[in-house]
Amino acid sequence: GKLQVEGGASINGQFVASRPDAGLYAFAVGTNAGGSGQETYATAVGPNAGYVNQAASATAVGSSAGKTTQGASSVAVGYLAGQSNQGSFAVGIGRDAGGTNQSQYAVSMGYLAGRTGQGANSIAIGNQAGRNNQGANGIIINSGGDVLDDTKPNHIVIRSGPNRSLSYNGSDTWTFAGGVVNGLSGFRQN
């Protein structure tokens, strides 16, 4: 049925909102939120949030956040965050952060951060950091304003603007660009 309230409403006691087939203590608010396969303790807030196969203890807040196959204990906050195939214990915060195929334990924060194919245990912070296929166990921090990707595993890339960065290739080489390095050995400067 449908409940419509004009003016104000007060609820004293318990309020439960979920689909009839949802797991114990699951919560869903919004058109198609928690549509089917919402498991125990999962939370879906917003249109199409947690729509299909939202695993136990997953949280999806925002339109189409965690929409399809959101892993256990994962978090998706923002429009299209963790939209499709978000791995267990992954975190996507921001529009389309961790959008598609975000692997387990990956973290993405920012507009389009970790957007597609973010590798397991990787971190992407900033506008378009790790947008396309970030390698596993890598770290990308981007304040440069445009796409910054690295598909190699174990990488570290920090960029603060055009030609201003510090990076590690994941195996044996550090590279610094954009100024002089004083008092450090082992750096290759571009």
Side-chain angles (χ1 to χ4, degrees):
K2 183 176 182 179
L3 171 66
Q4 183 172 350
V5 177
E6 291 185 28
S10 178
I11 297 173
N12 186 6
Q14 210 173 29
F15 176 74
V16 178
S18 64
R19 304 254 178 190
D21 66 343
L24 188 63
Y25 304 115
F27 182 79
V29 177
T31 304
N32 296 321
S36 67
Q38 187 183 34
E39 295 182 8
T40 303
Y41 297 107
T43 302
V45 178
N48 298 309
Y51 180 56
V52 177
N53 298 327
Q54 186 182 31
S57 302
T59 302
V61 179
S63 181
S64 295
K67 182 178 180 182
T68 306
T69 312
Q70 186 181 24
S73 299
S74 61
V75 176
V77 178
Y79 176 67
L80 300 173
Q83 180 189 21
S84 177
N85 300 318
Q86 184 181 33
S88 296
F89 307 100
V91 176
I93 300 174
R95 181 182 173 142
D96 224 341
T100 303
N101 298 323
Q102 183 184 33
S103 298
Q104 65 182 5
Y105 304 105
V107 175
S108 58
M109 297 174 61
Y111 173 68
L112 298 172
R115 167 64 182 93
T116 303
Q118 187 180 23
N121 303 301
S122 59
I123 298 169
I125 299 174
N127 177 26
Q128 302 185 75
R131 180 176 175 171
N132 303 299
N133 301 311
Q134 182 182 10
N137 305 305
I139 299 169
I140 297 176
I141 300 174
N142 184 24
S143 66
D146 55 354
V147 177
L148 179 58
D149 291 323
D150 196 325
T151 60
K152 296 180 298 299
N154 307 311
H155 61 272
I156 300 171
V157 182
I158 301 170
R159 182 169 68 188
S160 63
N163 301 314
R164 288 173 177 76
S165 64
L166 173 64
S167 62
Y168 176 66
N169 70 357
S171 60
D172 62 4
T173 305
W174 284 92
T175 305
F176 177 79
V180 176
V181 177
N182 294 314
L184 296 175
S185 60
F187 269 71
R188 184 183 73 204
Q189 188 170 343
N190 286 344

